């Protein structure tokens, strides 16, 4: 499966500011789970409790956000691939039955 296509599909689904010319907002379907919100808040609190400069704290926040985003994209791509593979296998089972 084309990784570049899956990356574009990911951004279409995950970018909260994604509004198409036809008025559709795919990001409306994006939901942040409570666990992700809690971990993000905990990370921020821990970073800002450190004895660092504001710039260092901001840098850590930025890196943490980028880190999470990359893993989210990886999970989306892998999950989509697996889902499509399972759908194909189920289709083959139904066709062979």
């Amino acid at each position: 499966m084309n990784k570049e296509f899956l990356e574009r599909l990911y951004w279409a689904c995950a970018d909260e500011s994604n509004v198409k010319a036809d008025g559709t907002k795919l990001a409306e379907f994006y939901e942040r789970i409570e666990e992700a919100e809690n971990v993000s808040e905990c990370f921020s609190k821990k970073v800002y409790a450190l004895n660092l400069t504001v710039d260092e704290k901001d840098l850590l926040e930025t890196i943490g956000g980028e880190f999470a985003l990359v893993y989210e994209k990886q999970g989306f791509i892998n999950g989509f691939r697996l889902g499509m593979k399972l759908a194909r296998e189920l289709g083959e089972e139904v066709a062979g039955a």
Side-chain angles (χ1 to χ4, degrees):
M1 188 165 288
N2 184 314
K3 183 177 174 265
E4 184 179 311
F5 170 78
L6 291 177
E7 285 180 0
R8 289 194 324 264
L9 180 60
Y10 165 77
W11 285 113
C13 294
D15 183 1
E16 294 181 55
S17 64
N18 186 1
V19 179
K20 300 259 183 215
D22 64 3
T24 58
K25 289 180 63 176
L26 293 175
E28 290 176 342
F29 297 106
Y30 183 86
E31 289 184 38
R32 181 179 238 194
I33 62 173
E34 186 177 342
E35 185 179 12
E37 185 67 38
N38 293 341
V39 169
S40 177
E41 185 177 327
C42 180
F43 179 77
S44 291
K45 286 179 180 178
K46 297 294 184 186
V47 166
Y48 280 88
L50 297 173
N51 189 22
L52 300 172
T53 68
V54 172
D55 287 343
E56 290 169 327
K57 291 174 185 180
D58 288 345
L59 177 61
L60 283 177
E61 278 282 318
T62 299
I63 292 169
E66 290 173 359
F67 185 75
L69 191 61
V70 168
Y71 272 101
E72 181 180 17
K73 182 167 69 170
Q74 175 179 280
F76 175 88
I77 290 170
N78 288 333
F80 193 89
R81 284 180 175 159
L82 178 59
M84 293 305 293
K85 180 176 174 141
L86 290 172
R88 186 171 39 250
E89 288 177 9
L90 288 173
E92 290 170 0
E93 286 181 17
V94 170

